[in-house]
Amino acid sequence: TVGLTAQEAGYKVYLVGGSVRDLFLRSPNLDLDLVVEGNGMDLAKKLARRLGKVRVRTHKKFQTAKLIFDDGLIIDVATARMEYYKSPAALPVIELSSLKMDLYRRDFTINTLAVSLNPKDFGLILDFFDGLRDLKGKVIRVLHNLSFVEDPTRVFRAVRFEQRFNFRIGKFTEGLIKNALKIDAFKLLTGDRLFHELENMLLEEKATDCMRRLGELNLLEVYHPKLKLSDKLEAILDSVEQVMAWYKLSFLTLPTRPWLVYFLALADPLDEAEMEQLCARLALAPRLRREIKEMRAQTLKVLNRLQRNQLSPSKVYDLLHKLKPAYQLYIMAKARQEWAKKAVSRYLGNMTKVKPLLTGDDLAGMGFDPGPLFKEILERVLAARLDGEVTTKEDELALVKS
Ligand code: ATP
């Protein structure tokens, strides 16, 4: 349909970038990138009309559009800018392949493959920069020497793809990374972009490996000068990975903000002031910065208390329920004793679901005045239930009366 619609409109359309790479790697990808030689926005609108049941978002300035389908599929449509080069002798204007120009602006050779979708040459693979060779050789390679200077976020993308696909950053490309570090190309990066790429790595299944590799390349220092790879840092990151795997297995989903658990672990070696510097460098929103500051302080207290001696379930509940899930998981990863880890996992697995059988109505029926007292009574009942002191509603009533 895409190719046909393009042909009718007189355009050429290609599937490009990560979607083609993932086709070759047989890796699922719900994000398709199209490049149009012609008018991308117009093609997107025509496609939407034809396919129906899709939301279209256009970005006029960049001549791009996004088609968002209900089942999660996203199609990004970009316009390949026509580049005209006048020859000195005023010969006719030469039109370079605009697709090739578009692909030349990309990060790595493995992301420069294109597949033609027009019916006339449907399925034709265009490989201008040896992307297929590098896919086969499992190498991450930039397209030109200034790539990382032009956009230092590519350094983090290189590490992310390397770890995700089990590839290797090419020797020359690795040299360019070292050079980018030497000339401090990262200082011009906005906090926003720096954070976005860090978040992307921390959302990878192999987040710990990404951090390890950043450490090997001395890139952790880009976030904060005190961040360096150490056995201790690796151990806590490994521990987070185990906790995340446990969580995924137990609940068949990830916790909210999974990146934050890794982030807390990464910042483990930093004291409060250094953590603030890190958050500032990453331009985190003031609210999140405040949350991290407060919760991190609480987290340390809770961890100390949890590790001192084994506590009753209601005490564990008391300590943990005011923290958000990311911090609870961080505590679980950091706890040294197995029983302390278990206490957190039991909290996450069972305790959050336990509720008193008595309700506010029951209490009102017993003559109590609604208000703070209700909350207090129900909390006491909950604690008794968590500790196995009450099981039935009658038990609870008896407890309240006593
Ligand atoms: P992912 O699976 O992580 O989404 P992707 O390759 O699809 O991987 P995107 O970030 O969606 O990554 O980018 C889409 C395409 O845009 C990439 O394949 C790449 O060609 C290009 N691209 C993205 N970021 C950059 C960049 N910083 N510099 C150059 N090209 C980029």
Side-chain angles (χ1 to χ4, degrees), residues 35-297:
V35 167
V36 181
E37 285 180 330
N39 185 334
M41 294 221 299
D42 179 50
L43 178 67
K45 284 181 199 149
K46 289 193 160 90
L47 265 177
R49 232 172 286 140
R50 201 160 197 163
L51 296 169
K53 280 198 176 165
V54 59
R55 277 175 295 143
V56 189
R57 248 191 263 145
T58 53
H59 206 308
K60 214 164 177 184
K61 194 173 148 212
F62 295 108
Q63 287 289 303
T64 58
K66 218 182 232 319
L67 299 181
I68 305 162
F69 295 84
D70 289 342
D71 60 359
L73 178 73
I74 295 178
I75 302 183
D76 281 300
V77 188
T79 308
R81 264 182 283 149
M82 292 286 187
E83 311 261 346
Y84 294 100
Y85 287 83
K86 258 197 169 133
S87 68
L91 286 166
V93 171
I94 301 162
E95 180 197 316
L96 286 191
S97 157
S98 49
L99 172 72
K100 186 171 175 183
M101 290 301 294
D102 185 284
L103 295 173
Y104 187 62
R105 281 193 288 267
R106 288 171 188 255
D107 44 8
F108 311 115
T109 57
I110 58 163
N111 286 337
T112 61
L113 289 163
V115 177
S116 171
L117 298 180
N118 283 57
K120 205 168 73 174
D121 47 10
F122 184 87
L124 182 76
I125 297 163
L126 293 114
D127 180 12
F128 298 108
F129 308 104
D130 280 333
L132 277 177
R133 178 198 65 191
D134 290 343
L135 265 185
K136 275 197 202 112
K138 299 176 178 272
V139 189
I140 309 286
R141 214 191 293 273
V142 285
L143 278 83
H144 57 83
N145 294 358
L146 288 178
S147 190
F148 293 132
V149 178
E150 219 172 78
D151 179 358
T153 63
R154 290 174 185 161
V155 166
F156 304 106
R157 292 176 60 85
V159 168
R160 182 155 61 91
F161 291 132
E162 183 191 53
Q163 298 306 312
R164 185 198 293 173
F165 300 125
N166 221 350
F167 278 26
R168 201 72 198 156
I169 293 172
K171 260 223 153 67
F172 186 68
T173 298
E174 189 171 325
L176 294 176
I177 291 181
K178 291 194 174 127
N179 187 50
L181 198 59
K182 205 154 80 193
I183 64 168
D184 204 3
F186 302 94
K187 88 172 164 259
L188 294 175
L189 260 186
T190 62
D192 249 17
R193 298 194 70 209
L194 196 58
F195 171 67
H196 183 63
E197 286 307 327
L198 175 61
E199 185 187 16
N200 278 342
M201 281 183 281
L202 298 182
L203 289 172
E204 288 283 324
E205 215 155 289
K206 294 205 209 157
T208 291
D209 287 334
C210 285
M211 294 304 108
R212 198 174 279 130
R213 185 70 165 126
L214 285 188
E216 263 171 40
L217 294 165
N218 298 322
L219 287 165
L220 291 176
E221 293 162 34
V222 170
Y223 301 121
H224 192 282
K226 263 196 79 181
L227 283 185
K228 289 195 175 49
L229 197 61
S230 67
D231 291 348
K232 213 169 154 206
L233 183 60
E234 279 192 74
I236 178 74
L237 287 166
D238 279 334
S239 187
V240 168
E241 192 166 288
Q242 281 166 19
V243 165
M244 297 304 256
W246 165 81
Y247 191 97
K248 215 170 148 188
L249 204 68
S250 308
F251 305 106
L252 303 176
T253 161
L254 280 173
T256 47
R257 301 185 294 177
W259 65 268
L260 182 53
V261 192
Y262 281 106
F263 181 70
L264 293 168
L266 180 68
D268 215 46
L270 304 185
D271 65 24
E272 193 181 311
E274 291 160 349
M275 180 62 155
E276 293 235 14
Q277 289 162 355
L278 172 65
C279 292
R281 176 64 187 101
L282 296 173
L284 297 189
R287 227 177 93 184
L288 179 57
R289 265 194 240 183
R290 255 194 322 271
E291 178 200 297
I292 289 177
K293 186 176 168 183
E294 282 162 21
M295 290 255 164
R296 215 163 81 114

Side-chain angles (χ1 to χ4, degrees), residues 14-29:
Y14 305 88
L15 184 68
V16 299
S19 26
V20 181
R21 175 199 70 212
D22 290 342
L23 267 181
F24 279 101
L25 295 173
R26 296 173 201 278
S27 167
N29 190 332

Side-chain angles (χ1 to χ4, degrees), residues 312 314 380-381 383-392 395-396 399:
S312 64
S314 65
R380 285 256 203 101
V381 174
R385 178 162 282 283
L386 287 167
D387 292 340
E389 289 163 10
V390 298
T391 44
T392 64
D395 293 344
E396 290 185 358
L399 177 72

